Amino acid sequence: MTTARLPLFPLNAVLFPGLVLPLNVFEERYRAMMRELLKTDEDEPRRFAVVAIRDGHETARTGTGMPDAVRGPAERGPAEGFGTDPVRTFHPIGCIADAAKIRERPDGSFEVLATGTTRIRLLSVETGGPFLTAEVEELAEESGEEAGALAEGVLRAFRAYQKRLAGASERSLTTGADLPDDPAVVSYLVAAATVLDVPAKQRLLQAPDTASRLREELTLLRAETAVIRHLPSLPAVDLTRAPTHPN
């Protein structure tokens, strides 16, 4: 089992391996993290851990660098907003992100573009520095039985789901050539692209193997497609874009 200590970036979202994560970094605790990552040679991965928040907020209301922040005694360190025991505030399974682009703006904030790489288990959280760090254990992705056949079924169900989201406009659908063949990649892509709340996406990230994730996705896609059939005004999902997380 491979363990590492990495900077920790909690979000009100779930990151999956292979998926792109754009960040708008303006809180001082996360600015400090980016300044530290910039010390890493450009040829080396600039890694940090991303975990979804179970109970708390991405941004501290009194955090330095917040727009119209209220500065004063209430302002605290990197664990602000995450309670007295941050490790209990976060979901236990997250993902390592590799920051391919970190650009500092004139005001000291950062524009960051990262990509998820490997699932991790959160072991501990350290709050003593300028930003949160965590000891994490990297998790292997096991295929499980029937992953290949399940992936084919999930892709068919996903196309039907896309079609419903797109209002049956064939031109807006992702073609088969655009979708991957690897079952694990399929499972992560579908998990990220399906309109689900954070707890549902977190359950998919935490699945013990690819086949288990695909089975749950097949059930979810069929259920969501049935719901959309009666709610045709739901917005379509664009697989090539993602919101920038404000931090």
Side-chain angles (χ1 to χ4, degrees), residues 31-117:
R31 293 188 193 190
M33 181 187 300
M34 294 306 142
R35 289 193 294 267
E36 183 65 25
L37 288 175
L38 281 173
K39 296 178 183 178
T40 302
D41 191 280
E42 290 185 1
D43 296 331
E44 297 295 327
R46 292 169 171 169
R47 304 198 310 164
F48 58 99
V50 173
V51 291
I53 300 167
R54 192 201 308 268
D55 180 23
H57 304 280
E58 286 186 18
T59 55
R61 296 182 182 182
T62 58
T64 304
M66 286 282 289
D68 300 321
V70 177
R71 312 289 179 85
E75 191 168 298
R76 294 294 183 267
E80 174 74 10
F82 300 133
T84 57
D85 187 6
V87 73
R88 296 181 179 273
T89 302
F90 308 134
H91 285 283
I93 305 299
C95 185
I96 291 175
D98 180 6
K101 173 184 177 182
I102 304 176
R103 185 177 71 85
E104 186 171 6
R105 302 188 182 102
D107 65 358
S109 64
F110 289 87
E111 178 184 349
V112 180
L113 193 64
T115 303
T117 62

Side-chain angles (χ1 to χ4, degrees), residues 59 120 161 177:
T59 55
I120 50 96
Y161 169 81

Side-chain angles (χ1 to χ4, degrees), residues 1-6 8 49-51 87 90-96 118-125 134-140 202 205-208:
M1 297 182 183
T2 302
T3 62
R5 180 159 293 279
L6 297 174
L8 181 64
V50 173
V51 291
V87 73
F90 308 134
H91 285 283
I93 305 299
C95 185
I96 291 175
T118 307
R119 291 189 310 149
I120 50 96
R121 185 187 311 279
L122 191 64
L123 301 178
S124 65
V125 176
E135 184 181 3
V136 300
E137 174 190 7
E138 295 186 18
L139 299 177
Q202 184 65 35
L205 183 67
Q206 293 182 190

